[in-house]
Amino acid sequence: WEVLKDDLMQLPKETLCDLVSVWINNYWACQSYWITYVERDFGQEAAERLDGEVFKKTAKIQAKELKKLLGLGDDMKAMAFVLKHITTQWTPAGFNWDIDEVTDQHILFHVNECPMGKFRKANNMELFSCKIISPPLYDAMAKAVNPKMTCICTHAHPDKPIPGLMCAWEIKYED
């Protein structure tokens, strides 16, 4: 790591940002290929289950690492920051999403387009059941910031499609 770190420290900030963008795109290319091949060889149900397991684990790890590295708190403001900077949401990879509202009690956000949904639509493939497989991912991320937080899917496939909207979510404190 030290050799790579030394090289990175020598790069101009703009080049470093471009390099991060390359890594983001490589990360998502790898994710897209592995899940497509799992689906091809073992079926959509297995692909969805494994994708859910992988992202639940990695979202939790990433949220904890971001929280520790940046000294973030455990409130909704910290959660919104984590949400913006975790790999499941990276805009350069093809995500088009917005945080609609952040209060002391909750966060509302929605995804207009995601790389996997875009890929599957373009290839006439059925969308993954994000309403089923994604809540544990976002819930694990939220609980890594604050164990009292939870995430609820308010809209996602297989719900009836809404033009321009892939999914919608609320992060709040558990009752």
Side-chain angles (χ1 to χ4, degrees):
W1 165 243
E2 291 304 319
V3 172
L4 178 58
K5 184 177 177 181
D6 289 343
D7 289 347
L8 295 174
M9 296 297 283
Q10 302 304 313
L11 295 174
K13 285 183 181 180
E14 188 64 32
T15 303
L16 189 55
C17 288
D18 291 342
L19 184 57
V20 169
S21 183
V22 167
W23 290 338
I24 290 168
N25 287 325
N26 288 341
Y27 174 91
W28 277 101
C30 179
Q31 194 277 343
S32 295
Y33 281 117
W34 88 260
I35 195 158
T36 301
Y37 296 149
V38 168
E39 181 178 12
R40 179 194 67 201
D41 292 353
F42 303 104
Q44 184 172 342
E45 185 178 323
E48 289 179 353
R49 182 179 53 78
L50 294 171
D51 186 63
E53 286 181 32
V54 167
F55 274 103
K56 179 181 176 183
K57 190 67 154 177
T58 60
K60 179 180 176 180
I61 291 167
Q62 290 176 58
K64 282 185 174 185
E65 288 180 356
L66 274 174
K67 188 176 174 184
K68 181 180 176 184
L69 177 68
L70 301 174
L72 300 174
D74 62 356
D75 59 2
M76 289 295 172
K77 184 178 176 182
M79 182 65 230
F81 184 90
V82 167
L83 188 60
K84 288 182 202 176
H85 295 88
I86 200 162
T87 59
T88 56
Q89 301 298 121
W90 280 339
T91 305
F95 280 92
N96 175 350
W97 69 282
D98 291 299
I99 293 178
D100 303 306
E101 182 175 287
V102 178
T103 71
D104 290 343
Q105 296 303 309
H106 77 162
I107 297 170
L108 299 176
F109 69 100
H110 71 275
V111 177
N112 301 310
E113 187 173 74
C114 71
M116 186 55 70
K118 185 177 180 179
F119 171 81
R120 296 185 74 78
K121 284 180 181 180
N123 290 284
N124 294 317
M125 300 169 77
E126 183 180 342
L127 293 176
F128 284 148
S129 301
C130 294
K131 188 152 194 164
I132 298 165
I133 63 173
S134 295
L137 168 162
Y138 286 116
D139 202 52
M141 182 192 328
K143 288 186 182 337
V145 173
N146 184 322
K148 295 178 183 175
M149 289 181 185
T150 191
C151 187
I152 299 163
C153 179
T154 59
H155 176 81
H157 185 73
D159 291 344
K160 183 178 177 184
I162 297 174
L165 178 69
M166 291 294 292
C167 56
W169 304 87
E170 179 181 18
I171 296 174
K172 64 180 190 171
Y173 293 104
E174 293 178 330
D175 296 327

